[in-house]
């Protein structure tokens, strides 16, 4: 709980600063608001920088003004916007799904890779697609599909993990606009970071 409060800047002591990632989902109203949900915007590219990654300029321009953006905008409408991962069918995040296709399309771009691709898609579908980076991977391992593994974990025991994440969000005073997936990411990342593991974000 204390890790979440510190990350999101809740009741900070004088002079303390929240993590920049606390603005990831809220910058400019969020990446999943209806008017921008099906295209990646300049605001989304700035938002991922709050998580310590940068989309290379040529790729960013291709997203904003080129055929890459057109292809992504063709896939995003097929990725549900108003559903939590715990409530989604597994095929929504399975191999070959529109979400998986968008992830692979981004991964295939020069100097993008799986971390940046995942963060961009997490910005566009925060309820459905988790942020997954090297610190989280260091903490939880490398399942064949992190999305499917997390989907299974969230649904086990009558969605016990999902309910625990929502309860943790409430107790910590984190806004309800922060998804359960993001609570999970931050809790794992902050905890693993505090243990001093050499796997920087």
């Amino acid at each position: 709980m204390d890790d979440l409060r510190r990350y999101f800047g809740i009741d900070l002591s004088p002079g303390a600063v929240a993590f920049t990632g606390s603005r990831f989902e809220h910058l400019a109203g969020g990446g999943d608001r209806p008017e921008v949900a099906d295209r990646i915007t300049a605001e989304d590219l700035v938002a991922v920088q709050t998580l310590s990654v940068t989309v290379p300029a040529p790729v960013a321009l291709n997203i904003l003004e080129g055929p890459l953006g057109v292809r992504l905008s063709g896939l995003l409408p097929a990725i549900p916007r108003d559903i939590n991962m715990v409530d989604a069918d597994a095929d929504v995040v399975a191999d070959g799904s529109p979400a998986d296709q968008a992830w692979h399309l981004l991964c295939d771009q020069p100097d993008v890779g799986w971390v940046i691709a995942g963060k961009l898609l997490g910005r566009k579908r925060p309820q459905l697609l988790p942020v997954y980076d090297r610190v989280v991977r260091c903490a939880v391992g490398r399942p064949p599909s992190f999305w499917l593994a997390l989907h299974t974990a969230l649904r086990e025991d009558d969605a016990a993990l999902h309910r625990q994440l929502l309860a943790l969000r409430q107790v910590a005073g984190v806004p309800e606009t922060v998804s359960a997936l993001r609570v999970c990411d931050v809790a794992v990342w902050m905890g693993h970071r505090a243990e001093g593991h050499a796997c920087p974000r």
Side-chain angles (χ1 to χ4, degrees):
M1 182 181 71
D2 289 342
D3 283 345
L4 280 175
R5 294 174 69 83
R6 185 162 63 254
Y7 187 93
F8 286 100
I10 298 168
D11 296 334
L12 287 179
S13 58
V17 179
F19 285 74
T20 59
S22 65
R23 297 294 300 145
F24 172 67
E25 47 274 291
H26 294 137
L27 183 69
D32 61 337
R33 64 192 193 278
E35 62 270 26
V36 298
D38 294 334
R39 60 186 174 87
I40 295 177
T41 68
E43 294 160 348
D44 299 323
L45 299 177
V46 174
V48 299
Q49 292 185 41
T50 69
L51 299 182
S52 304
V53 299
T54 300
V55 178
V59 178
L61 291 173
N62 198 358
I63 288 173
L64 296 176
E65 300 177 346
L68 177 58
V70 174
R71 293 178 66 188
L72 289 167
S73 291
L75 291 167
L76 284 169
I79 306 172
R81 181 176 64 88
D82 296 322
I83 189 170
N84 290 309
M85 177 180 266
V86 69
D87 297 319
D89 292 334
D91 60 5
V92 174
V93 292
D95 293 349
S97 66
D100 180 65
Q101 293 177 51
W103 184 82
H104 278 286
L105 180 57
L106 286 165
C107 285
D108 288 342
Q109 305 309 308
D111 300 316
V112 173
W114 62 275
V115 172
I116 294 175
K119 289 179 178 181
L120 270 173
L121 292 177
R123 163 77 177 176
K124 301 311 297 180
R125 298 293 185 269
Q127 305 288 339
L128 179 68
L129 302 177
V131 171
Y132 178 54
D133 66 5
R134 289 176 179 84
V135 176
V136 176
R137 186 177 69 178
C138 185
V140 304
R142 304 185 185 194
S145 169
F146 178 71
W147 289 354
L148 286 175
L150 182 57
H151 179 266
T152 298
L154 289 169
R155 291 166 69 95
E156 285 178 342
D157 300 322
D158 193 27
L161 175 58
H162 181 75
R163 288 185 280 107
Q164 289 169 8
L165 292 169
L166 295 181
L168 180 59
R169 182 180 69 185
Q170 182 178 10
V171 171
V174 175
E176 292 186 0
T177 48
V178 176
S179 70
L181 294 183
R182 187 77 172 109
V183 171
C184 183
D185 165 54
V186 172
V188 171
W189 186 77
M190 289 289 283
H192 204 61
R193 174 180 171 274
E195 294 172 4
H197 296 279
C199 42
R201 200 173 185 110

